[in-house]
Amino acid sequence: MTEQSISITMTGSGGSGVMTAGNMLLDAAGRSGLFGIMTRSAGPQIRGGEAAAMLRLSNKPILSHKDQFDILLGIDWKNADLFASEIVLDNNSITIGETGIPQAFTESAGRHYELSVAEIAKQIPDGRANMVALGVAAKLISIPLSAIKEVLTKSLLKQKGEGAVRSSLEAVEAGMAAASAIPSIPAPTADPEAAANNWSITGNEACGMGAIRGGIRFVAAYPITPATEVLEWLATNLPKLGGKLVQAEDELASINQAIGASFGGVPSLTATSGPGIALMTESLGLSVASETPIVVIDVMRGGPSTGIPAKSEQSDLNIAVFGLHGDAPHVVTAPLTIADCLMTTQWSVYLAEKLQTPTIVLSDQALGQTRAVIPGVPDAGYEPERAIAVNPDKTYQRYADTENGVSPMSLPGTESGQYTADGLEHTQSGRPSSKAEDHHRQMNKRLRKIKGFDFGDNWAEASGDDDAEIAVLTWGSSFGAISQAVEELRQSGQKLRLIGVRLISPAQPERMKKLLNNVKKVLVIEQNHSGQFYHYLKAYYDLDAEIKSIAIPGPLPILPSQVRQYLRDWSQI
Amino acid sequence: MTEQSISITMTGSGGSGVMTAGNMLLDAAGRSGLFGIMTRSAGPQIRGGEAAAMLRLSNKPILSHKDQFDILLGIDWKNADLFASEIVLDNNSITIGETGIPQAFTESAGRHYELSVAEIAKQIPDGRANMVALGVAAKLISIPLSAIKEVLTKSLLKQKGEGAVRSSLEAVEAGMAAASAIPSIPAPTADPEAAANNWSITGNEACGMGAIRGGIRFVAAYPITPATEVLEWLATNLPKLGGKLVQAEDELASINQAIGASFGGVPSLTATSGPGIALMTESLGLSVASETPIVVIDVMRGGPSTGIPAKSEQSDLNIAVFGLHGDAPHVVTAPLTIADCLMTTQWSVYLAEKLQTPTIVLSDQALGQTRAVIPGVPDAGYEPERAIAVNPDKTYQRYADTENGVSPMSLPGTESGQYTADGLEHTQSGRPSSKAEDHHRQMNKRLRKIKGFDFGDNWAEASGDDDAEIAVLTWGSSFGAISQAVEELRQSGQKLRLIGVRLISPAQPERMKKLLNNVKKVLVIEQNHSGQFYHYLKAYYDLDAEIKSIAIPGPLPILPSQVRQYLRDWSQI
Amino acid sequence: MNLSMKTENTCPSLVAKDYRSDTKPVWCPGCGDFGVLLSLTKSLAELQLNPKNVAVISGIGCSSRIPAYLNTFGFHGVHGRALTIGTGLKVARPDLTVIVAGGDGDGFSIGGNHFLHACRRNVDMTYIVMDNELYGMTKGQASPTSAPDWEYGKLTPGGTHMKPFHPLVVGLASGANFIARVSGTNPNGAVPIISEAIRHPGFSLVHVLSPCITFNREQLEWKKMVRDAVVPTTNDAGKAARYLMSDDGFNLGILFKGDRLPYDLKSEKTVDGPADLEAQFSV
Amino acid sequence: MNLSMKTENTCPSLVAKDYRSDTKPVWCPGCGDFGVLLSLTKSLAELQLNPKNVAVISGIGCSSRIPAYLNTFGFHGVHGRALTIGTGLKVARPDLTVIVAGGDGDGFSIGGNHFLHACRRNVDMTYIVMDNELYGMTKGQASPTSAPDWEYGKLTPGGTHMKPFHPLVVGLASGANFIARVSGTNPNGAVPIISEAIRHPGFSLVHVLSPCITFNREQLEWKKMVRDAVVPTTNDAGKAARYLMSDDGFNLGILFKGDRLPYDLKSEKTVDGPADLEAQFSV
Ligand SMILES: Cc1ncc(C[n+]2csc(CCOP(=O)(O)OP(=O)(O)O)c2C)c(N)n1
Ligand SMILES: Cc1ncc(C[n+]2csc(CCOP(=O)(O)OP(=O)(O)O)c2C)c(N)n1
Ligand code: SF4
Ligand code: SF4
Ligand SMILES: [Mg+2]
Ligand SMILES: [Mg+2]
């Protein structure tokens, strides 16, 4: 089955309901058996400003947008030009909307169909323009009315009543009727059977669900864009399992609450973004030194400082790996796709618990706030396996220098298990010590438990041609567009290898060496300004191949076409 | 003039006054025309526990201790064995004190002289044992009584009166008399002329003085070991120049107070150590993005977490260079010696102001809390050269994309100069923007101003043989012991090059390349666990030579003998 | 009252809108913060302050966007640290009029510690807190001032179950020397109070009821619930405490005005230059 | 009172010294913290708490060293965050007796924000603050409780010139529900009060006058200056405010005891396992 996909963007100004229409379109597509993603973009207004809902729908699960949108549908055109750099059109694209389409789009699109959804809506009692647009879009993409109806009923009946469902449906139908004037567009063929097993989920929800599957039962929360939805999803869902979420006064409190709960034996987590992770590094160090496991999800956004809160960037690798003072070995992971947010978070909980160390999960806005229709993700099975001291006696030493570096932890309430956890350097029993021998012993132990651990195959996803001489190395959400580009080039005959690294730290140079066996050239692609992953590779891996860094900061996502271009340039050198 | 030096440690239990005796001995040696250093070590008690004053005195300025101490003088031996790992003796060493010398020392020292300073003190009305010890030490090292007398008078007359001076002097003389029974020890020849120009100063005081010379006139302070004395020295001295020091409620406040004052046009600074720098990274990012210059001195101590507060380690390089979220180019420097704390801090103020960026100065406990007698350090002449907007008008843009990346800053009070500084990404005028073009322009500009700046020769200190094939690369306080070792090896005929890097970030690969022209092998030595500088070199420099990392965490200082050993091993490979 | 407000620096010819920049606020139509912006510009005009001598400092939040909408100097810092930037600026540049502005989350949640210590330190600046009892910018979570039974906080479904933070009581307890409450929806009432706060030496706290119409439409009722306080301004902290502790949050006016002297780090130049400090190092 | 203090978990046979570990305190001879250590062990014995069910959490400072000297569970965290570790622990493990201990710098300077919010949140734990009006560990700087004219603070030569932080007043203003003051130099007086604080549900604040004999020997006088408060314990916040605001800092006793219910995050398991949450994702 070859991939067929179609991309559509809807735009509208404040209050136009474009996001609602977009969400319904995605849901309906999902119900009809398609896969897809929807990303959102909005102007600077806090609420109700201009917005764009950008969808791609396909007969197979997809990881990124295409280079261009096939359809641009304007509910209105007010301020739509603000999105010109995000909504790339070419002469196969069509635009649909009232008169006054911004020049940026007339110049690039192939055809324009005039159709005012607002005018059509006016003909319908309580008719809303966004519902007409939904109808237009559904018609063009061949989403059946029945799927739209289900979605409308589900989302409107309870809250707004039957009347709202009826008038919306009427508007949708009017839109469909109007769209029949537009030449039909080749749309992906849906497989209605698939729908039963499919999920509609954002990366942030997936992180939340992964956390719960991993065994997290305490969460401390301080909101920050674009991580808030991880916490909000957990706020409603964690209590159902008897877990607890506390809204903290700030990030200093949230991370330390998590440390406190984990000291009590409950797997604990917090989620934040750049500014918050910066505030947490002192206490991440406490988690390292006191060997209290915690998980911190950093849903990355544009930096530095407050930066660009609502846009994606992969620029917190440095702080996640190196942002702790002193030598503080810990674990850093990064999901590659929305679906992978589930597994990676679950695995990260496992790693934190197993290694009694903080694990930082580097998600990003592009994963976190994109909604995708994907095949349901099975539970990866990782459960907390914290080493617990069994029947400790007087000889119990909390920080015993064990062979693998992991020391059984005594939980409060354990008979004869009393000890004091400490961020000061300490002896094996936990007593503060400034002696060289104690310091070296504990440093070695803390490093050994992490470096010596067998992280298995999860550390990276490798695909493509085993005998390729060129490899693309990447991490995080850029993996999506790169996979797409690599697949395209391979289909056109180029031999390529693709490696998406999921375990950022500790480095796995031996494993990497094996993967890059025949490779002569490595292209490292990431979404930041300084090539953080590239420099990290240079510092901690010994790659024999020639390496080139492609680092493009946000806020725009890296496009498959850019990747193809780089790969073409590179392979010609 | 060849170097002659002598090393002596005095130990004593709680309340024995060993530090006073040590300080007086150093001062008196300074007055007599010697150079020297004194480091201190103390047990875990907050105050009044056992302590050791470790001195090395020489006819030339010195940068580190020797491998062994020539003399160990016990005021008493209670808990003195606690210091066994720090006070290395060999069979040329002598110990002096009452009976009961700890086994650790009897085993290693060559000779032992029994002499109870306490008993001698008892013979003298108001006689104190530490003053007797001072006399013993002075006699052995041939410090003239007149120098001791001066010091005693200076420190006791005002506060404790003539009687105290008299009884102390009597005790000193008694100590001297008692010491004449001990065979004299070859001591460095003092040059009394030198004393006139010499300073007795700690690295922390030197940082303070460097800051003032550099033009710092606002300091925000939150105490933390071992940085507190930088702030305390400034608290008394800054006001004399009309400057101001505010004690803040925490480090989040201190760094932001500094940013506020600097926004007002006043060069500003704060000083802290690992846990504090961790709390500051969010606002360091604000300083980067808002382009508000500040200087932060990090006097490093043992990490991670609370770690080992009173001991040295060079383990904050990672957080200083990489600890900010997002891509946040800034400057990191590190003084190489106590004297260099002056120049490096002064230069760092200059760099921060010139480049409108935060500059982090990585000092450490070994530099900061060691007192040294050194030749007075002349003013390096660096003054704040912040680019100020002159007569701004309506077209004024705070973040103008200038050629060198530095944009003239308008100070509050400037007619028509109003603008809003922002940590959000912004246009050239400072208006918040999430557009790719603005983000990329500002990112490029912020990087360019730092990468494109000509840092000149200050970036590193290079010495040794131009045609050497082996180079030692280091940074920070380790430079002292390494210099000593390299000099010794060179004197025994080995060809070596020594490079102490003062400008940690931005990297200077071109300059390094030139310095390492003929070099085939590079040994990178630093005092931490993970080889932070070594990995940084791999990531940001392209060294052709074979590189080896020697990374030894604190708390013990790296000794010249260790360095010689590594160099011998290495040159044989 | 500080230097900048004296003689040559005043600007008698300016009207409120001269204190506005040409940047359009990102706020939702109807947001209470528009009223605060208007009130503040009116106060600045009333005080005839020269915009070049005024600096408005903020943290992060909808309300904290205010500096960019003013034609004064401004600093939009990071979340929770506005008061500390203001403190550094005012201590270093006593000639400026420093106004710190922001939200209840910024000021009382993440910024709570600086609030405490700003009240104690009494640096001469004015702190305008636009309280909407929630986090607007992050789309509707509870803040310290949220009612314990506010069900819609997205991280506290069912309510916070915590005692709300009472800014005026805590401010008084920590030593704030000027305490007032105004309504963002009534600029005419707010202007004289804000002006008086700016004029008052030392730290002045102005608590503003500034409704968020997007995440808590019930706050539209505030307009009707506010009233002028029935008691006159007191300089007796005990009296003020009694009044404020039983206050329902809707009494407007200057509720406390003490006479503690502003923070003053005396620092008189006693030496000519850095070289004069070197003698202390001589052996 | 929490679970751990019920029936099977009590330890009637233990005496005070059974609650001490064998680690020797680093404190200076004569430090007030010795008295606090003694008082606390006596209270634990009096309450017959099983050491395994008690966790003592602290930050950084001389006083914050206390957990290691106890035979309970302990956590010596980072500077200023003790209350937040305690909060997480108690919410996650309601069966434990959680005691948070530390100094005035740790609690009211860097930790001030958490103090505010701990008072509001009212999690069932006891906060023992050993106040010596200075930073001992870093060798003698002013703390928020230092007198404004204390000349010897090494960062504030000549005095802080700031209004001292009044922990009990700020605690009350922020919602603390149990407020007491004891003297570290008088264990006999302190023990029943500390015991009552531990017994009291919700957040209990115990302010301890604990002299630092090394950096402010004048505090040796405190011993003579303290007295039992003349007023009985009140549950009226207004009354307590009036009393505390005029308090000279030397009145000992339980000065306020309210009846606000402790923080309780109701979370009842309504599903069997994570799989039951998956339905919400179905398209
Ligand atoms: C360190 C940090 N944490 C969290 C955030 C996210 N954040 C931005 S504004 C805000 C709350 C704002 O609330 P408030 O101050 O009441 O302002 P409002 O939007 O209600 O006016 C938060 C939590 C941030 N920017 N930085
Ligand atoms: C983040 C951080 N900043 C500063 C310090 C240094 N420090 C250690 S203890 C302390 C103050 C302690 O004062 P207090 O809590 O009153 O305790 P005391 O020693 O007086 O008992 C400070 C500032 C630190 N450890 N961590
Ligand atoms: S979300 Fe609320 S506070 Fe923010 S701008 Fe809109 S109305 Fe104002
Ligand atoms: S310095 Fe003060 S507070 Fe610290 S242990 Fe000594 S007496 Fe106690
Ligand atoms: Mg708010
Ligand atoms: Mg204290």
Side-chain angles (χ1 to χ4, degrees), chain B residues 432-484:
Chain B
S433 167
S434 58
K435 281 197 187 149
E437 64 183 272
D438 293 318
H439 188 40
H440 292 208
R441 177 185 289 122
Q442 294 296 326
M443 300 273 272
N444 289 335
K445 165 186 134 58
R446 288 190 294 255
L447 183 63
R448 187 168 69 243
K449 70 178 179 179
I450 289 170
K451 257 198 147 169
F453 183 72
D454 181 356
F455 288 87
D457 290 338
N458 280 345
W459 81 280
E461 293 296 320
S463 61
D465 306 291
D466 283 338
D467 54 346
E469 295 195 347
I470 296 185
V472 185
L473 232 86
T474 191
W475 66 286
S477 67
S478 294
F479 181 78
I482 296 171
S483 301
Q484 164 108 12

Side-chain angles (χ1 to χ4, degrees), chain B residues 178-448:
Chain B
S180 29
I182 300 168
S184 82
I185 290 165
T189 338
D191 168 13
E193 304 285 288
N197 181 41
N198 282 358
W199 285 4
S200 165
I201 193 168
T202 67
N204 278 345
E205 291 168 352
C207 280
M209 185 67 188
I212 286 189
R213 281 180 172 177
I216 292 295
R217 292 297 179 270
F218 178 88
V219 173
Y222 193 75
I224 185 167
T225 308
T228 311
E229 301 90 6
V230 177
L231 301 164
E232 289 178 345
W233 188 87
L234 285 164
T236 9
N237 287 282
L238 193 57
K240 298 179 190 162
L241 282 148
K244 285 169 180 171
L245 180 141
V246 178
Q247 180 175 337
E249 54 272 28
D250 59 20
E251 287 88 349
L252 304 161
S254 57
I255 187 167
N256 279 288
Q257 285 182 5
I259 290 173
S262 175
F263 170 71
V266 178
S268 301
L269 170 146
T270 186
T272 187
S273 189
I277 203 100
L279 289 172
M280 291 180 184
T281 62
E282 189 202 9
S283 297
L284 282 165
L286 177 62
S287 164
V288 168
S290 69
E291 304 199 42
T292 316
I294 51 165
V295 176
V296 179
I297 300 176
D298 173 0
V299 186
M300 296 179 290
R301 64 193 217 180
S305 196
T306 311
I308 310 185
K311 298 283 179 177
S312 209
E313 202 166 71
Q314 298 176 277
S315 54
D316 290 353
L317 184 146
N318 278 347
I319 189 173
V321 177
F322 299 115
L324 286 65
H325 70 275
D327 287 300
H330 61 283
V331 178
V332 180
T333 62
L336 296 159
T337 66
I338 292 172
D340 190 33
C341 286
L342 271 146
M343 199 292 281
T344 296
T345 307
Q346 184 174 10
W347 186 48
S348 299
V349 178
Y350 169 81
L351 294 175
E353 291 285 319
K354 187 90 185 172
L355 300 173
Q356 296 183 20
T357 202
T359 296
I360 300 172
V361 182
L362 291 176
S363 178
D364 60 32
Q365 186 273 339
L367 296 174
Q369 295 192 324
T370 297
R371 175 165 294 282
V373 175
I374 54 171
V377 181
D379 192 318
Y382 291 107
E383 292 191 356
E385 288 182 12
R386 195 188 295 195
I388 301 295
V390 189
N391 297 328
D393 60 20
K394 284 214 158 146
T395 66
Y396 171 67
Q397 297 197 305
R398 167 65 185 102
Y399 301 109
D401 187 18
T402 60
E403 202 182 314
N404 66 5
V406 175
S407 322
M409 187 168 174
S410 161
L411 302 184
T414 306
E415 191 72 50
S416 303
Q418 295 98 304
Y419 75 99
T420 294
D422 210 321
L424 276 171
E425 193 54 284
H426 40 254
T427 63
Q428 296 185 68
S429 71
R431 194 179 295 209
S433 167
S434 58
K435 281 197 187 149
E437 64 183 272
D438 293 318
H439 188 40
H440 292 208
R441 177 185 289 122
Q442 294 296 326
M443 300 273 272
N444 289 335
K445 165 186 134 58
R446 288 190 294 255
L447 183 63
R448 187 168 69 243

